[in-house]
Amino acid sequence: MSKENQMNLSQRDFLSWLLKGGVILTLAGFILPAITYLLPLTRQAPVGGMVDVGKKEDFPTGAGRKVILGGKVILVIHLASGFRAFSATCTHLGCLVDWDEKKRQIACPCHAGFFNSDGSVISGPPPRRLMAYVITVVNGRVMLSA
Ligand code: FES
């Protein structure tokens, strides 16, 4: 084999490896973001056990606060009678509801939907109550369960 043929062969090998490397990097560019997108959902979702959402002091009595767990927004309300937690997604068209501390009710800003502090509908277009979560305080920590 002449020196020129050997050089052409090594150039061909180099280009082949460069092409393979480019294909691998392109595939990694698609696969890695998909994996990082899916993993946090499976790690953080409140499936099965209890999930710590903060110190009891972080939730003043009478106030409501939203927490995000597994991509879901949950409204935590601290009443004098104890804690309550509901999906913050309105059952009408999916807007995020808020706790109205003065009126002591949950309000949806989109179409004037109102819910009681037990999640039941007071008025407006929502067709059903808000989905409730089990919530307890353990050793000063507020714990949510699906
Ligand atoms: S989305 Fe809440 S009342 Fe329409």
Side-chain angles (χ1 to χ4, degrees):
M1 195 179 277
S2 72
K3 190 172 183 174
E4 190 175 310
N5 278 346
Q6 281 181 339
M7 205 167 190
N8 280 343
L9 189 60
S10 71
Q11 281 178 339
R12 208 174 300 136
D13 286 345
F14 174 74
L15 287 175
S16 172
W17 280 106
L18 194 64
L19 186 63
K20 288 175 187 172
V23 169
I24 290 170
L25 287 176
T26 302
L27 287 176
F30 285 109
I31 293 169
L32 289 178
I35 290 171
T36 55
Y37 173 77
L38 293 174
L39 280 182
L41 290 177
T42 55
R43 266 190 262 135
Q44 296 173 3
V47 177
M50 305 294 281
V51 178
D52 187 332
V53 294
K55 294 182 289 188
K56 185 179 176 187
E57 298 80 47
D58 295 339
F59 299 88
T61 304
R65 186 177 143 204
K66 290 180 191 139
V67 297
I68 298 173
L69 283 178
K72 295 176 183 170
V73 183
I74 298 168
L75 178 63
V76 176
I77 304 167
H78 187 183
L79 301 170
S81 58
F83 280 87
R84 293 189 182 158
F86 304 98
S87 166
T89 304
C90 181
T91 56
H92 180 222
L93 293 178
C95 291
L96 289 181
V97 298
D98 249 321
W99 174 245
D100 185 329
E101 201 169 326
K102 287 181 185 164
K103 293 182 180 174
R104 296 177 43 86
Q105 62 187 18
I106 300 165
C108 179
C110 289
H111 311 104
F114 295 96
F115 302 86
N116 277 313
S117 61
D118 66 358
S120 61
V121 177
I122 298 172
S123 64
R128 61 189 172 281
R129 64 187 307 123
L130 295 169
M131 189 182 94
Y133 286 83
V134 174
I135 187 164
T136 57
V137 178
V138 179
N139 296 328
R141 306 293 303 185
V142 180
M143 308 293 285
L144 258 177
S145 178

